[in-house]
Amino acid sequence: MHAVYLRRRAVALGTALGLLLVLVALVRGESRSPVGVGADTVLPAAQKAKLPWRQRYASGSAGPLDARGLPAAPAQRAAVARYHRLGLPIYCGGGRGPYAALTFDDGPAEYSERVMELLRRAGAQATFFVVGRVVSGREDLVRRQVEAGGVADHTWTHANLPSLSNRELRAELGNTKRLLERVTREPITLMRPPFGARDARTDRMVRRMGMVPVMWDVDTRDSAGAGSDEIAANAEAGLRPGAIVLMHDTYDRTLAALPRILEAAKRKGIKLVSVPQLLALDPPSEAQVRAGGEGCSEREAFHRQEDATAMRLGGRG
Ligand SMILES: [Zn+2]
């Protein structure tokens, strides 16, 4: 009796402590800026350079990292929520940490299973942008895609969003979001516009539906017919800090390229994470997001701007 009581009390205490830590991490992440730039940016550059990545980023908006070096689910949700408030598409991470995100569109499909197996063996995570109408009969596969990193909305029929009426837009996005939430029992907060086709109206609708548009800054060109050598070379060239890489789990040539891409990431010291994990570990600044795709090709310039700002802020302690 007594032992059970003690154990229950220990569990309750542990849970309360855990919640408190998460809350503290959230509040610290929230209070910094609309788009939390990591705590590292307030350190002088010389001091910053001495800190190992893990230490820098564990103290940023990602909060405490788990045994796999990944942020906890609440920190990932908080990171996505910060960008949701901005209502703009994400093209890449901040480019300050050794992280990149592989994304696989248009499934669940024939090659999803083997893609996930390769990712698992490499200790890599990825985000799967799912087409609603192909989910039926593959619900189990979708649930495993959640384990492999996460799933997101890629519309019901792979529609060209700007050509749709508001009603059609709501149906394409909403039906997919609802189906995925029913299948995965997780909130769906990211989407990718098919063909990358979007405008201010579709962005507003996506935001109203509680999601963030996710674009990419590296195109492997697998959907444009590139062979596996070219896909691997495109991905490898693009694998730098903060990269979001566009791929598809619908092609065998993409599957064939994947082992080389995973090997290249390992060689470069780049950890492959999901998009919410990337946003928590290596948040792009608000100015960078507002610059759209340019914010990725010019990431170094943005770092210099932010460092200058940080030094002024640093004076206030
Ligand atoms: Zn697509």
Side-chain angles (χ1 to χ4, degrees):
M1 265 304 260
H2 193 61
V4 170
Y5 168 72
L6 278 181
R7 198 160 60 229
R8 276 197 199 138
R9 203 170 61 168
V11 167
L13 265 175
T15 310
L17 191 66
L19 277 172
L20 190 68
L21 283 174
V22 165
L23 271 174
V24 168
L26 281 177
V27 168
R28 287 183 50 198
E30 291 298 310
S31 63
R32 241 181 305 282
S33 79
V35 180
V37 175
D40 62 304
T41 51
V42 297
L43 291 175
Q47 203 178 328
K48 228 164 64 176
K50 287 188 198 142
L51 293 175
W53 287 115
R54 188 180 168 103
Q55 212 177 325
R56 280 207 229 170
Y57 284 86
S59 62
S61 65
L65 305 182
D66 69 13
R68 295 173 300 171
L70 299 174
Q76 295 182 38
R77 280 199 288 275
V80 173
R82 281 196 293 275
Y83 295 99
H84 179 251
R85 283 195 284 279
L86 267 184
L88 293 170
I90 300 295
Y91 285 80
C92 62
R96 289 171 174 275
Y99 304 103
L102 298 184
T103 61
F104 293 91
D105 293 7
D106 300 358
E110 198 179 341
Y111 304 106
S112 311
E113 186 88 61
R114 282 146 79 196
V115 162
M116 286 191 282
E117 177 57 21
L118 289 172
L119 291 172
R120 194 187 59 75
R121 270 192 258 152
Q125 299 252 288
T127 310
F128 296 86
F129 289 87
V130 168
V131 171
R133 73 172 170 195
V134 301
V135 168
S136 179
R138 290 168 168 160
E139 289 84 353
D140 240 24
L141 199 49
V142 172
R143 281 188 280 270
R144 267 175 289 145
Q145 287 178 325
V146 174
E147 295 302 308
V151 296
D153 190 332
H154 197 42
T155 77
W156 191 262
T157 66
H158 206 268
N160 179 27
L161 298 184
S163 71
L164 302 181
S165 70
N166 282 342
R167 231 177 67 132
E168 292 166 328
L169 202 49
R170 259 195 304 274
E172 280 283 346
L173 293 167
N175 292 344
T176 308
K177 180 174 160 73
R178 276 188 296 277
L179 172 67
L180 289 178
E181 288 179 340
R182 203 169 62 234
V183 168
T184 67
R185 296 168 177 275
E186 300 250 345
I188 300 300
T189 55
L190 302 179
M191 64 79 63
R192 173 170 285 160
F195 319 105
R198 44 159 285 278
D199 57 27
R201 182 180 65 105
T202 67
D203 285 353
R204 269 198 305 279
M205 182 70 81
V206 168
R207 185 180 189 217
R208 221 172 295 152
M209 298 181 81
M211 295 188 284
V212 177
V214 177
M215 306 293 279
W216 58 88
D217 69 321
V218 178
D219 186 353
T220 59
R221 301 198 54 77
D222 60 347
S223 64
S228 62
D229 286 342
E230 196 186 336
I231 294 168
N234 288 340
E236 185 172 354
L239 271 179
R240 48 187 184 144
I244 297 180
V245 184
L246 174 66
M247 303 171 78
H248 298 79
D249 44 352
T250 48
Y251 302 118
D252 58 352
R253 51 187 192 268
T254 305
L255 177 70
L258 189 55
R260 273 175 284 172
I261 297 169
L262 296 169
E263 193 51 48
K266 198 169 151 193
R267 199 169 56 244
K268 292 185 173 197
I270 297 269
K271 185 177 176 67
L272 296 170
V273 297
S274 73
V275 173
Q277 290 159 4
L278 181 68
L279 294 179
L281 289 161
D282 181 21
S285 68
E286 182 172 340
Q288 198 184 337
V289 174
R290 290 195 183 284
E294 297 279 293
C296 303
S297 50
E298 305 283 328
R299 36 187 105 152
E300 291 308 316
F302 278 95
H303 293 175
R304 284 195 297 276
Q305 281 173 25
E306 286 157 25
D307 288 343
T309 313
M311 262 180 253
R312 285 201 300 279
L313 291 175
R316 297 196 310 226

